Amino acid sequence: MEVWIGRDGERHGPYKEVDVRQWLRSGQVSPDDLGWHDGMTDWAPLSTLFPNELSHQDAAPAGAAISPPPRSIPEAASEPSAVTFDYASFWQRFGAWVIDLAVLMVPSTIAFYALGGLSAYEHLMAQLQTTPDMSATIREYVEATRGSNIAVIVIGFLYYTLFEASRLQATPGKLALRLRVTDINGQKPGFGRAALRNVVRLTNALTGLIPFVCYIAVAWTQRKQGLHDLVARTLVLNGRAPNIDVRTSQTGQSSGSGSSTSSFNA
């Protein structure tokens, strides 16, 4: 088994498991250094990966500095290239949006009717048939439905933000299509970033064009990002958060060795 070692935001390796165990016993690597090997869904401290080695640590000279793992790469291995992600396509995200729209129709309709939206609409229809001043009638309708419209906007904002900031990292629509939202490094976005990402949904109260522009950018940006993704520095990736796969793509030509690109995420 080969093990990668992470320290100070940098990755080293891969190294043979037997070497990593020896470095852990001798103090060349710290138990707090992170490790990762094929089959893991996330990095973990070396003390968690190899707990038995801590009880067999060799005594290190007093004051001796712990050196980092060797920087030289064995001939059979290579430096990992940049992390690559499986970006969700425009049509995948559009499909997720349609599902979410259908789900949101239920609470949004209930809130709209409960706050007087239905009676305001019925009054509007009656007024349009009897009142020649349509502009005044429409202004009256807009004023009467302001509270219900705000409620619908807030429901949509909380729906997207809370679901995407949760451990699922996805709304029901994204879950149905096996998608997840991450930060730019493929990690869980957190509430603040998810909220920033979804502030754009509040513009639905002003114009129907802005959300369209935000989503259509997914079709041509390099990382399949919409405008809201670019602002919040987020990604939409394939794969559900609880079942993240570690994908490896071979880029070498020889059968015995080659360079690999790994992507892994919390």
Side-chain angles (χ1 to χ4, degrees):
M1 180 176 68
E2 294 184 327
V3 180
W4 295 90
I5 295 177
R7 178 185 294 172
D8 299 328
E10 296 183 356
R11 290 177 294 176
H12 309 275
Y15 306 109
K16 294 181 179 179
E17 177 184 352
V18 63
D19 292 334
V20 176
R21 288 180 178 272
Q22 176 59 41
W23 295 335
L24 191 58
R25 288 196 298 269
S26 64
Q28 284 184 276
V29 294
S30 168
D32 295 329
D33 285 337
L34 299 177
W36 181 90
H37 59 73
D38 189 26
M40 294 178 62
T41 59
D42 197 5
W43 292 82
L46 294 177
S47 59
T48 301
L49 296 182
F50 309 113
N52 294 335
E53 305 305 330
L54 300 181
S55 60
H56 298 89
Q57 281 186 335
D58 300 332
I66 297 177
S67 59
R71 297 299 180 113
S72 60
I73 304 301
E75 292 183 2
S78 63
E79 281 283 357
S81 59
V83 175
T84 58
F85 297 112
D86 187 5
Y87 305 114
S89 69
F90 171 81
W91 290 113
Q92 285 177 299
R93 296 180 62 171
F94 178 79
W97 175 79
V98 171
I99 295 173
D100 286 326
L101 181 62
V103 173
L104 273 171
M105 284 294 292
V106 176
S108 297
T109 302
I110 293 173
F112 185 79
Y113 285 173
L115 294 175
L118 178 59
S119 59
Y121 178 76
E122 292 174 343
H123 179 70
L124 171 67
M125 292 295 100
Q127 289 291 97
L128 289 177
Q129 295 175 8
T130 59
T131 304
D133 189 358
M134 293 184 60
S135 60
T137 301
I138 292 175
R139 285 197 302 269
E140 182 181 350
Y141 171 76
V142 170
E143 183 66 28
T145 57
R146 179 171 299 172
S148 55
N149 286 330
I150 291 176
V152 170
I153 293 171
V154 172
I155 288 172
F157 174 76
L158 293 177
Y159 173 89
Y160 281 95
T161 300
L162 294 178
F163 270 118
E164 292 174 356
S166 72
R167 67 178 185 84
L168 299 175
Q169 299 175 225
T171 58
K174 290 184 177 69
L175 282 176
L177 296 183
R178 304 184 65 83
L179 307 178
R180 70 185 186 277
V181 177
T182 73
D183 66 12
I184 203 70
N185 297 313
Q187 305 299 314
K188 187 172 177 289
F191 181 83
R193 192 178 299 275
L196 175 61
R197 181 178 188 272
N198 288 293
V199 164
V200 69
R201 303 187 192 283
L202 296 178
T203 60
N204 288 339
L206 302 177
T207 174
L209 178 61
I210 297 299
F212 175 76
V213 172
C214 289
Y215 281 108
I216 200 65
V218 174
W220 67 72
T221 52
Q222 182 178 7
R223 297 184 176 184
K224 307 297 183 183
Q225 292 172 292
L227 181 59
H228 51 318
D229 293 313
L230 293 170
V231 171
R233 293 179 59 80
T234 56
L235 303 170
V236 178
L237 306 179
N238 282 293
R240 294 179 180 175
N243 302 304
I244 298 169
D245 297 323
V246 179
R247 296 179 174 81
T248 306
S249 59
Q250 294 296 330
T251 57
Q253 297 297 324
S254 67
S255 60
S257 64
S259 62
S260 63
T261 301
S262 302
S263 81
F264 31 86
N265 170 39

